[in-house]
Amino acid sequence: MQIAGTEQFAASADRVREALSDLDTLARASPGLDSVERNDGTTLECRINPSLSFISGALRTTVTRTSDEAGDEVAYSISSKGIGGGATVTATFRCSADRGGGGCSGEWRAEVVERTGLLKPVGDSVIESTMGSVVERTWARFRSQLVA
């Protein structure tokens, strides 16, 4: 199961790729971030309180950048585990050429590659809707990091 979309940014493609490759920026953009436990530049371990009706408690989340910092595409593997279940998601983002006025657009895709425990029986439509909401909030928070 996957979701995808296109985002518009006022910043240049280089600035957006740089920010997406920075795990500190990504952590600050994550809705419900409780704490960062480790960040070695490639892997981020954190606790997230997701505010989702079908998940209680904090999720231990590991975000690993799987793409080369110098490439056009930024890619991550994201694994979250909580009480009774978890999920692994792969996410990619590719910036298109800069638009006039210094901004850029980019295409993203997120795919659930594994669900475990109590998340296995949750319907795909519920997961897709939840992912869409989380992605929307993450992009809004990410945009604020670009101007900070």
Side-chain angles (χ1 to χ4, degrees):
M1 162 194 9
Q2 70 178 14
I3 62 172
T6 303
E7 298 294 321
Q8 307 294 321
F9 298 97
S12 70
D14 287 342
R15 174 68 180 112
V16 172
R17 273 192 299 272
E18 175 187 312
L20 280 172
S21 296
D22 178 48
L23 289 170
D24 284 329
T25 301
L26 198 61
R28 287 190 304 271
S30 300
L33 178 70
D34 182 47
S35 64
V36 172
E37 297 168 357
R38 179 175 78 104
N39 179 357
D40 66 12
T42 302
T43 301
L44 170 74
E45 293 177 359
C46 59
R47 289 175 46 94
I48 294 177
N49 292 308
S51 304
L52 303 174
S53 61
F54 56 90
I55 297 176
S56 62
L59 297 175
R60 289 195 158 304
T61 301
T62 302
V63 180
T64 304
R65 190 178 58 243
T66 58
S67 60
D68 180 358
E69 281 188 60
D72 289 336
E73 184 174 89
V74 181
Y76 287 100
S77 174
I78 305 158
S79 179
S80 292
K81 294 180 180 156
I83 297 172
T88 300
V89 174
T90 58
T92 59
F93 179 86
R94 180 179 297 273
C95 258
S96 300
D98 285 339
R99 299 176 298 145
C104 72
S105 63
E107 298 175 358
W108 60 267
R109 177 182 17 233
E111 180 177 5
V112 177
V113 294
E114 179 183 35
R115 288 189 283 183
T116 62
L118 298 175
L119 284 181
K120 271 188 170 182
V122 176
D124 287 353
S125 62
V126 172
I127 298 292
E128 286 175 15
S129 174
T130 301
M131 284 176 61
S133 174
V134 170
V135 166
E136 185 178 312
R137 289 183 288 149
T138 301
W139 282 127
R141 293 170 61 103
F142 177 76
R143 278 186 185 79
S144 71
Q145 296 298 314
L146 284 176
V147 297

